[in-house]
Amino acid sequence: VSMAQAEADVRSLFPEMVAADFAGSPGETADSMNREKAMQPILASAERGVSTLRKQFAGAVTAVMGGVVALWLLVCGNVGGLMLARAETRRREVAIRLSLGASRWSILRRTLIEAVLLSCAGAIAGFMIARWCGPWLLRFLPARRPLGIELTPDMRVVAFAAAICIFSAVAMSVFPAIRIFRADLSGIMGRQSGRASRPRLSRGLVAFQVGLATLLMTGSLALVRTLDAMRTEDPGFRREKLIIMTLNPRMAGVKAASIPAVFDEVVRRARSLPEVEAVSLAQRALMRGIGFKGTAGRAGSRITFADLLNVSLNGVSLDYFANLRMRIIMGRGFEPADNRGKPRPAIVSESFARQFFAGLDPIGQTFGMGGIGSVIRPDNLIVGVVNDTKYRSMREIPPPTVYRLLDDDAFRFEGMVLHVSVRGSPVSTIAALAGMLRGVGPGLAPTDVATMEQEIDTSLWQERLLATLSAIFALLSTVIAGLGLFGMLAYSVGQRTREIGIRVAVGATVGRIAWMIGRDAASAVAPGLVLGLGAYAACSRVVAALLYGVTRWDAMSIAGATACLIAVCVAATLFPAIRAAVIQPSQALRDE
């Protein structure tokens, strides 16, 4: 059926679905059921499958594939330049073949065969490297929360690689082909072999390589600085010497009615351990990429579609804020009697207070939760405002958050997160906590345990992987661009040996010869740097979506990339310049 018809059918069935769901949950109120019935379900196509990771990976994969394409073009330009230099040395051979009746197509066919062999050899080596690097790449994924990603190549990947081989062979054959088809037979046969040759095409290829390397290096430095900014940013809560332990007593066979007592015993025993400073509980752990969300509004307001899931939620114990070193900005913290209050006391974040009660004193204000179209009732009373904190990741803007005091009902559905702050090393305390849990009850064990530093580091796995891959691409591209420049200059010095010998014979100094080679290098490198920075400007919007704490026009990234490329190009120029400077006139003319 069409999407419109499917959506109409589901919406007509939705109230019955809600009623059936609530029938299996005794204790829910009729008002809650009516509020949920008022919500409008939204359908999405499952034609491409259902993936919670697709949106998360989309930007990073686009950037990585952009780097792959840039690196591929750079390699083609580099190898094409080398093949062009080789074709230049074989101009007389080509002229003789043409004069004896060989067609230009037959000579081009030999060049294309060489390019295909190079491409196939590179593809085979690349495929082997990819198989070897697969497990290494998977190490960047969060080991404690595996994503189930397979890197085994299928036929589509093999077909893509085959297509790359063909395109690479064609791309590397283009430049020599231009020379072959534009060859002037009489000019080649009559030219003296020692005459200097300064092809603009070679310099253009080097400028192209330097431009791509500049693009990749600038983007890589911006991504590396993003990772550093996210690692060092203050998340708004304690991150040092804090142990996070997820515990679900139901997995150990504990009955629902006994779970609150089990957690009370766990907290009591944990506080008695020697190195423990404080212990608190929460329904959701931070930095896990997930969390509770709800739709909130001021009392008396009507919820619209734009309000859907506009706040984050968490249930916490009495000393949660003190344990995580979160600051009560206004009002007070939770008290034991808050669960018996009507309306129910709640503590909200600064961003919640700004969003819903801008210009007002939030303390004493009421709000509630509801579905689309419902009118909000004053179910919650704000008694305190706490500082903003990150919730799901270091990248997110601190969301408007509502904190409620844990009650017995909160323990019945899922496990709880134990937050244990320690004085010394968390490692020894983690072992002591595991032993303590075994003493509370048989089979009682954490489903997940880590320090907050580890949680934060795990949450940055995508940024870390992207920074690493982009750095590898940038280093490879810089090396390849340096080799391309070195090859061009070395070939140029070899072709101009006679000219350089004459210059030295008539009084040219070593510095002047070196300056001449350096000027040739600058004529290729300078346009390449400008081209690369221009390309980065064109691509900066794509890169900007991956940055955090760093602007797309980050001066340090641009300056660092420029300095790195200049340093590599200077090193690539040094050896050809020294070779040219030490040419002896007598030897050069004798060889000629």
Side-chain angles (χ1 to χ4, degrees):
V1 299
S2 66
M3 180 65 74
Q5 182 180 347
E7 193 165 79
D9 290 345
V10 170
R11 288 186 175 183
S12 65
L13 293 171
F14 187 68
E16 297 179 30
M17 296 163 62
V18 172
D21 183 46
F22 272 74
S25 303
E28 296 286 352
T29 64
D31 288 340
S32 298
M33 182 173 65
N34 291 331
R35 283 199 298 267
E36 194 157 329
K37 283 183 178 181
M39 299 176 69
Q40 295 296 323
I42 301 172
L43 272 65
S45 173
E47 183 179 4
R48 297 179 57 204
V50 179
S51 173
T52 58
L53 299 176
R54 183 178 293 129
K55 184 177 180 180
Q56 181 182 1
F57 274 90
V61 170
T62 301
V64 170
M65 289 306 297
V68 169
V69 172
L71 198 59
W72 169 68
L73 291 174
L74 195 148
V75 169
C76 289
N78 188 279
V79 179
L82 295 177
M83 294 182 67
L84 178 63
R86 183 182 181 188
E88 187 74 17
T89 62
R90 297 170 58 189
R91 287 174 68 89
R92 278 189 177 276
E93 175 192 341
V94 171
I96 294 173
R97 289 180 180 273
L98 291 174
S99 65
L100 293 177
S103 67
R104 283 176 167 82
W105 281 109
S106 65
I107 296 174
L108 176 61
R109 187 166 59 248
R110 296 184 59 185
T111 303
L112 185 60
I113 291 174
E114 290 180 349
V116 169
L117 292 175
L118 283 173
S119 296
C120 290
I124 293 172
F127 187 79
M128 295 174 63
I129 293 173
R131 293 293 298 270
W132 175 72
C133 289
W136 174 75
L137 282 175
L138 290 176
R139 292 179 185 177
F140 282 87
L141 303 182
R144 293 186 295 109
R145 291 187 291 276
L147 301 178
I149 295 177
E150 296 268 345
L151 294 183
T152 303
D154 57 16
M155 289 306 300
R156 291 174 298 177
V157 176
V158 175
F160 180 78
I164 289 295
C165 285
I166 296 172
F167 283 124
S168 300
V170 172
M172 291 187 295
S173 303
V174 165
F175 309 118
I178 293 174
R179 289 289 181 176
I180 292 173
F181 283 103
R182 296 176 58 184
D184 180 6
L185 184 60
S186 59
I188 296 174
M189 296 297 291
R191 189 183 70 175
Q192 293 185 15
S193 62
R195 185 171 298 174
S197 176
R198 303 179 188 178
R200 293 181 180 178
L201 189 55
S202 296
R203 285 199 291 269
L205 284 174
V206 172
F208 177 69
Q209 295 171 45
V210 172
L212 289 176
T214 304
L215 167 64
L216 292 176
M217 182 61 72
T218 306
S220 172
L221 289 177
L223 291 172
V224 170
R225 283 176 48 77
T226 291
L227 177 61
D228 182 68
M230 295 178 71
R231 276 176 169 168
T232 57
E233 187 175 18
D234 179 17
F237 52 79
R238 175 178 184 165
R239 58 189 294 173
E240 302 86 8
K241 297 184 178 181
L242 181 65
I243 299 170
I244 313 299
M245 180 178 290
T246 305
L247 189 64
N248 190 347
R250 289 194 303 170
M251 298 180 65
V254 178
K255 300 298 183 182
S258 303
I259 290 178
V262 169
F263 275 107
D264 287 342
E265 182 65 14
V266 168
V267 170
R268 186 187 67 80
R269 294 197 183 194
R271 286 172 177 165
S272 66
L273 294 177
E275 292 295 318
V276 172
E277 285 186 351
V279 181
S280 60
L281 292 171
Q283 283 184 292
R284 280 292 181 215
L286 305 175
M287 300 291 109
R288 296 282 179 88
I290 57 175
F292 292 130
K293 298 195 79 172
T295 304
R298 295 173 61 173
S301 63
R302 184 177 293 276
I303 297 297
T304 66
F305 181 78
D307 300 321
L308 189 65
L309 301 179
N310 55 1
V311 297
S312 295
L313 309 170
N314 207 353
V316 299
S317 60
L318 286 171
D319 45 2
Y320 176 82
F321 300 117
N323 191 17
L324 269 68
R325 295 179 181 172
M326 296 168 62
R327 305 182 309 278
I328 301 294
I329 307 298
M330 302 175 64
R332 62 172 177 83
F334 283 124
E335 297 175 352
D338 283 341
N339 275 335
R340 297 189 294 272
K342 294 291 183 181
R344 186 176 180 179
I347 295 177
V348 300
S349 65
E350 292 176 279
S351 56
F352 183 97
R354 288 193 301 268
Q355 178 172 325
F356 293 96
F357 303 101
L360 300 175
D361 182 2
I363 304 301
Q365 301 286 349
T366 57
F367 68 94
M369 303 285 178
I372 297 175
S374 63
V375 177
I376 294 298
R377 301 195 311 176
D379 295 329
N380 298 276
L381 174 70
I382 299 177
V383 297
V385 177
V386 72
N387 67 284
D388 282 335
T389 66
K390 308 284 186 178
Y391 189 174
R392 295 163 183 83
S393 71
M394 293 295 289
R395 181 178 286 273
E396 75 171 346
I397 299 173
T401 308
V402 176
Y403 300 93
R404 291 173 175 169
L405 185 62
L406 290 173
D407 56 13
D408 288 349
D409 289 338
F411 292 90
R412 298 178 187 274
F413 299 100
E414 296 186 22
M416 286 287 165
V417 181
L418 198 69
H419 296 78
V420 182
S421 55
V422 298
R423 302 181 183 88
S425 171
V427 177
S428 58
T429 306
I430 289 175
L433 287 170
M436 177 270 296
L437 291 176
R438 289 192 294 269
V440 173
L444 196 62
T447 57
D448 198 338
V449 59
T451 65
M452 182 58 77
E453 291 283 7
Q454 290 173 331
E455 292 283 0
I456 292 175
D457 191 61
T458 298
S459 71
L460 297 176
W461 69 268
Q462 184 174 331
E463 287 78 10
R464 187 168 58 253
L465 174 60
L466 193 58
T468 302
L469 289 178
S470 65
I472 292 174
F473 287 174
L475 291 175
L476 284 175
S477 65
T478 303
V479 170
I480 292 172
L483 290 175
L485 177 62
F486 173 81
M488 184 199 78
L489 294 177
Y491 174 76
S492 175
V493 170
Q495 291 291 97
R496 300 171 65 184
T497 299
R498 184 171 184 270
E499 173 197 344
I500 294 172
I502 294 174
R503 287 178 180 271
V504 174
V506 298
T509 63
V510 171
R512 189 170 184 82
I513 297 298
W515 170 254
M516 180 181 68
I517 303 301
R519 187 176 56 196
D520 287 348
S523 66
V525 172
L529 289 173
V530 174
L531 175 67
L533 293 177
Y536 177 76
C539 301
S540 59
R541 289 188 177 182
V542 177
V543 177
L546 303 172
L547 302 181
Y548 182 88
V550 178
T551 65
R552 58 179 178 170
W553 302 112
D554 181 52
M556 291 187 65
S557 299
I558 295 174
T562 303
C564 182
L565 264 297
I566 291 176
V568 171
C569 291
V570 168
T573 307
L574 185 62
F575 297 103
I578 293 174
R579 178 187 172 191
V582 299
I583 290 177
Q584 296 298 322
S586 57
Q587 185 65 35
L589 296 176
R590 187 180 300 115
D591 292 342
E592 191 62 31

